Amino acid sequence: MDDTQRRIDAAPLPVARELRRRRNLILQFLRFVRLNWTMYRLARHHH
Amino acid sequence: MSRVVILGAGVSGHTAALFLKRRLGRDHEIVVVSPNSQWNWIPSNIWVGVGKMSPDRVVFPLAPIYRRKKIDFRQARAVALRPEGDADNPQGAVDVVYTDPKRVGRTERIRYDYLINATGPKLNFAATPGLGPDAGNTVSVCTPSHAVDAAEHLAAVIDKLKAGEPQTLVIGVGHGTCTCEGAAFEYAFNVEHELRAAGVRDRAEVIYLTNEHELGDFGVGGMTFSQAGRRITSEAWMESLFRERKMKAITQAAVTEIEPGLIHYRQIDGSANTQRFDFAMLLPPFRGVGLEVFDRGGAEITDTVFAPNGFIRVDANYQAKPFEEWTAADWPKTYQNPSYRNVFGIGIAFAPPHAISRPYATPDGIAIAPAPPRTGMPSGSMGKVVAMTIADMILRGAAEPTHTASMGEMAAACIASTGTGMRSGTAAAMSMSPIVPDYSRYPDTSGRDPKETTGNIGLAAHWVKRMLHTMFIYKAKAYPLWYLIPE
């Protein structure tokens, strides 16, 4: 049997600060811009 | 005048058709043959499957687009290739059977100067007894109609949960050799998200059932990336996400049979197990669409053009060798068929040289080996480079392919939705370079460029996924400046 469920049960949970960051609209907007730039760069330079 | 025939109008075939028309103009003829009348943005089918998007928002009719772009569209199914022509004419040809209501059942032999095989896969539900919507035990999100059916089943499950009846939902892949684990992962998390939104999460057990050796493999051997200044594997990343969302997971599994309410599966250690379910969405394995190939004399030569799995052979290294000897260089660059140089295979239709993830099997030989994904970003790039190569062959007389797009060199970004909503949505954004690990180039970082291999979870990634939906449908509709949107 795989031990995946045991590993999930022992996995670290995100700290409260990280959960807040994932919802913070300003931080997420900045991340949105960065993700778009990353994807654009990947598409232009690696394709 | 040259005629280019494209079989299939999915991401790769449609991209190739639009770029070919743009390069070749009115002096040459582009013919697209597809059994479907509509184009489908498949990555958004998961949202149709949870009832958060109507099916008409993930499809549009192809005929008006091709009419506007002066591309000849035949709604038909290709059934046979004749790359050497026939007794009457040495020019290559493809036999088609029309599927549009006006000509349904009629056959035609279409001649070509260049052929692009972009048929995509056959959804091989039959590989697992009892799998799929036709058998009636499990649902799928592979097509818009499948996704609508899945949403209806899910709504019924939510009603039962609201009535206080506990439910077990199993989401994953329905065979040991499936691909597209990412789509199953997305659907599992979107279902979990909807159960929470409906206020019934505490009465539901959600189980992700996969052929991946570990979580986060996604058929690409997993990833290692930096997060908050430390190196983390996609496996550890996903385990944390599964715990956060109270999801269960079964890995290293080959589903062997589905009965009503019961999944039979085998695992790598040989154990035979069952999993009860009230709702199951299990993706099917893929195989080629079953085109036959004939030489000029009418003798069948399918095996010289297609691999045993039904996908077309291209310029890959198909020599059988152990996992330790696989290299990124084995992967095709030009997508040109080695036997017939005017025939190309792109998207899911090309035969990969081998898997990307390490393959496993049960002691008695049942394969537990995720097939390599070749959809989305790389699929569009293949369509574009083959279009550019054919255009150069026609316009400049190029003897050899002039453009390349190897998955051993290409990067890819994958946005895996884990719940929809402009304020409440989340997604996991992953990028990797290259798609196929290159251990000779990046020996210390799992075969990938650490600067270009990243992972992020949050609302921003959901916005990106939603934006890509709008952007790629705009591009596929060939609206003004469509070609500026990267693949």
Side-chain angles (χ1 to χ4, degrees):
Chain A
M1 291 284 276
D2 65 308
D3 67 346
T4 301
Q5 193 55 50
R6 187 186 56 74
R7 291 174 59 95
I8 291 171
D9 294 340
L13 285 168
V15 296
R17 188 175 168 208
E18 169 59 16
L19 292 174
R20 280 198 302 276
R21 285 167 65 92
R22 290 183 191 172
R23 296 268 162 238
N24 183 295
L25 290 179
I26 296 168
L27 281 174
Q28 291 302 312
F29 176 74
L30 294 173
R31 193 169 276 183
F32 173 75
V33 173
R34 192 175 166 190
L35 281 171
N36 276 303
W37 171 244
T38 301
M39 288 202 305
Y40 179 80
R41 203 169 39 76
L42 287 177
R44 298 300 294 184
H45 297 295
H46 294 266
H47 286 244
Chain B
M1 175 186 274
S2 293
R3 176 189 274 178
V4 185
V5 174
I6 301 164
L7 307 181
V11 170
S12 61
H14 188 63
T15 301
L18 294 180
F19 275 105
L20 272 165
K21 192 65 195 176
R22 186 161 186 266
R23 281 288 308 274
L24 296 177
R26 294 182 179 184
D27 297 337
H28 303 278
E29 192 179 359
I30 314 298
V31 181
V32 174
V33 176
S34 170
N36 303 313
S37 63
Q38 295 188 306
W39 191 86
N40 174 210
W41 178 239
I42 294 170
S44 295
N45 284 0
I46 50 152
W47 292 333
V48 177
V50 293
K52 285 294 178 188
M53 188 173 270
S54 62
D56 60 316
R57 291 175 65 192
V58 298
V59 297
F60 62 80
L62 285 163
I65 310 298
Y66 288 144
R67 202 177 305 125
R68 173 160 50 86
K69 301 306 287 184
K70 310 241 175 330
I71 293 170
D72 184 354
F73 176 52
R74 316 287 182 94
Q75 192 189 328
R77 184 182 308 282
V79 292
L81 301 185
R82 298 179 186 277
E84 301 170 8
D86 53 25
D88 300 331
N89 187 338
Q91 188 178 12
V94 55
D95 295 349
V96 305
V97 180
Y98 283 92
T99 58
D100 70 89
K102 287 182 183 170
R103 294 180 284 186
V104 66
R106 263 183 50 193
T107 60
E108 185 178 353
R109 184 161 296 173
I110 303 173
R111 303 283 166 182
Y112 62 79
D113 296 294
Y114 294 89
L115 179 79
I116 301 176
N117 180 5
T119 53
K122 175 185 176 185
L123 303 177
N124 193 16
F125 288 107
T128 302
L131 179 68
D134 289 344
N137 300 318
T138 64
V139 296
S140 149
V141 290
C142 292
T143 69
S145 62
H146 285 176
V148 168
D149 182 47
E152 288 169 0
H153 279 78
L154 180 62
V157 163
I158 291 174
D159 286 344
K160 287 180 183 173
L161 287 163
K162 284 180 176 171
E165 193 178 330
Q167 299 281 288
T168 300
L169 298 89
V170 181
I171 295 158
V173 297
H175 193 270
T177 62
C178 281
T179 183
C180 288
E181 290 81 5
F185 165 88
E186 286 187 279
Y187 189 67
F189 277 83
N190 272 268
V191 165
E192 196 277 341
H193 183 84
E194 292 310 313
L195 294 174
R196 270 189 291 129
V200 295
R201 179 66 181 91
D202 57 331
R203 290 190 283 278
E205 186 173 46
V206 184
I207 301 168
Y208 178 63
L209 175 63
T210 182
N211 58 351
E212 295 157 278
H213 194 261
E214 57 270 327
L215 294 178
D217 180 277
F218 295 123
V220 294
M223 287 155 266
T224 303
F225 40 70
S226 294
Q227 195 177 55
R230 65 191 179 92
R231 303 291 291 165
I232 185 169
T233 63
S234 52
E235 180 184 12
W237 203 50
M238 286 297 139
E239 286 164 356
S240 177
L241 185 61
F242 271 71
R243 184 177 173 206
E244 181 191 334
R245 302 282 284 266
K246 297 183 173 58
M247 304 257 296
K248 294 191 171 176
I250 300 166
T251 57
Q252 306 173 10
V255 173
T256 53
E257 187 180 358
I258 320 274
E259 292 181 68
L262 195 67
I263 296 165
H264 296 262
Y265 66 94
R266 300 282 301 277
Q267 287 187 287
I268 288 173
D269 61 2
S271 59
N273 307 292
T274 57
Q275 174 61 53
R276 197 192 69 74
F277 68 91
D278 299 294
F279 171 95
M281 195 299 290
L282 298 178
L283 297 177
F286 294 164
R287 63 168 290 113
V289 297
L291 284 170
E292 291 184 307
V293 188
F294 299 95
D295 69 10
R296 196 165 180 202
E300 192 189 333
I301 53 167
T302 305
D303 291 348
T304 64
V305 177
F306 287 91
N309 56 15
F311 297 119
I312 191 166
R313 295 179 196 273
V314 290
D315 60 318
N317 178 0
Y318 292 111
Q319 184 189 1
K321 49 188 176 179
F323 173 78
E324 288 72 19
E325 294 175 22
W326 292 356
T327 70
D330 295 336
W331 286 74
K333 291 181 168 66
T334 68
Y335 304 94
Q336 187 180 42
N337 179 262
S339 303
Y340 299 99
R341 314 287 282 177
N342 60 344
V343 175
F344 296 79
I346 55 175
I348 294 176
F350 88 81
H354 43 65
I356 301 173
S357 302
R358 181 190 283 269
Y360 294 88
T362 63
D364 55 343
I366 297 174
I368 304 178
R374 41 208 193 279
T375 53
M377 211 171 174
S379 195
S381 289
M382 291 171 210
K384 183 176 179 181
V385 300
V386 166
M388 295 304 182
T389 284
I390 292 174
D392 284 344
M393 288 175 161
I394 293 171
L395 298 174
R396 299 199 286 118
E400 295 297 325
T402 50
H403 291 72
T404 63
S406 167
M407 285 173 62
E409 295 165 1
M410 270 191 280
C414 172
I415 312 293
S417 171
T418 53
T420 185
M422 290 310 285
R423 290 291 297 270
S424 63
T426 56
M430 293 164 272
S431 67
M432 70 190 92
S433 178
I435 300 165
V436 178
D438 187 340
Y439 295 101
S440 61
R441 202 167 160 201
Y442 305 107
D444 302 324
T445 51
S446 307
R448 294 208 175 90
D449 182 348
K451 290 180 187 161
E452 305 285 25
T453 304
T454 61
N456 281 293
I457 295 177
L459 182 58
H462 170 71
W463 291 340
V464 173
K465 173 110 181 163
R466 186 61 190 78
M467 182 197 70
L468 291 177
H469 168 96
T470 302
M471 206 166 76
F472 280 110
I473 287 181
Y474 180 95
K475 179 175 181 171
K477 286 183 175 176
Y479 283 151
L481 304 177
W482 63 268
Y483 47 84
L484 295 179
I485 297 172
E487 282 59 54

